[in-house]
Amino acid sequence: MDREVTSTILRYVKETYLPEKRHNPKYPDTFTSGDLHFFAPAVADMSALFTFDRSARRSNYFNTKEARSSYLLYFLIPNMLKVEWILKQQRVAELFANEPEVRIADIGCGPCTGLLAAVPYWHAEAPQPSRSAVGSA
């Protein structure tokens, strides 16, 4: 996965979810250990909801900024790497090299995770004249 994607996600989380009073003017574009300490409790809560407390998870759990930022920090990046690894290991681009159109269904990895990994993979490994993607959370 491109470092630019990771840094963009971290910058977005910091700009969007970190309270203004916690911003360190010395490091406006860097995700610091202080930022990590701020987000860590929500990440731990989200992890517990997906592993131990599944029955406690409400259907609208993404309605909180803590859940959204936790997903972006703790689940999105590692799961994107998993999808990218699978695509490369299975040589998916080679399997579909002669197809005029490739459709990717993003199901079961979390919102947009598979697509965010697959689109750069396909662009780099097998540029296609026609691409489409369908996402589902």
Side-chain angles (χ1 to χ4, degrees):
M1 181 171 65
D2 191 325
R3 285 183 187 260
E4 187 176 333
V5 172
T6 302
S7 64
T8 299
I9 292 168
L10 293 175
R11 188 173 49 253
Y12 173 79
V13 168
K14 184 172 182 167
E15 290 172 359
T16 306
Y17 298 109
L18 189 68
E20 190 63 38
K21 66 182 180 183
R22 299 221 22 137
H23 283 257
N24 184 337
K26 286 184 178 179
Y27 306 103
D29 297 328
T30 305
F31 201 85
T32 67
S33 61
D35 301 337
L36 180 62
H37 287 297
F38 174 79
F39 288 109
V43 168
D45 291 344
M46 176 69 90
S47 178
L49 278 177
F50 280 113
T51 53
F52 306 110
D53 300 332
R54 283 181 150 303
S55 62
R57 190 175 67 201
R58 300 178 318 240
S59 61
N60 63 347
Y61 64 93
F62 264 154
N63 284 351
T64 67
K65 64 182 188 285
E66 294 83 7
R68 291 188 300 272
S69 63
S70 297
Y71 170 76
L72 291 170
L73 291 172
Y74 187 70
F75 292 98
L76 180 67
I77 295 170
N79 287 340
M80 284 174 58
L81 290 169
K82 291 174 190 175
V83 171
E84 180 183 46
W85 184 83
I86 291 168
L87 293 170
K88 287 179 178 179
Q89 290 298 309
Q90 297 301 312
R91 298 181 177 171
V92 173
E94 291 176 26
L95 294 173
F96 295 97
N98 296 323
E99 297 296 325
E101 179 179 78
V102 175
R103 293 178 183 222
I104 300 166
D106 183 355
I107 300 171
C109 319
C112 295
T113 304
L115 294 177
L116 288 171
V119 169
Y121 168 80
W122 281 105
H123 182 70
E125 300 293 328
Q128 298 287 335
S130 176
R131 293 185 202 105
S132 63
V134 178
S136 177

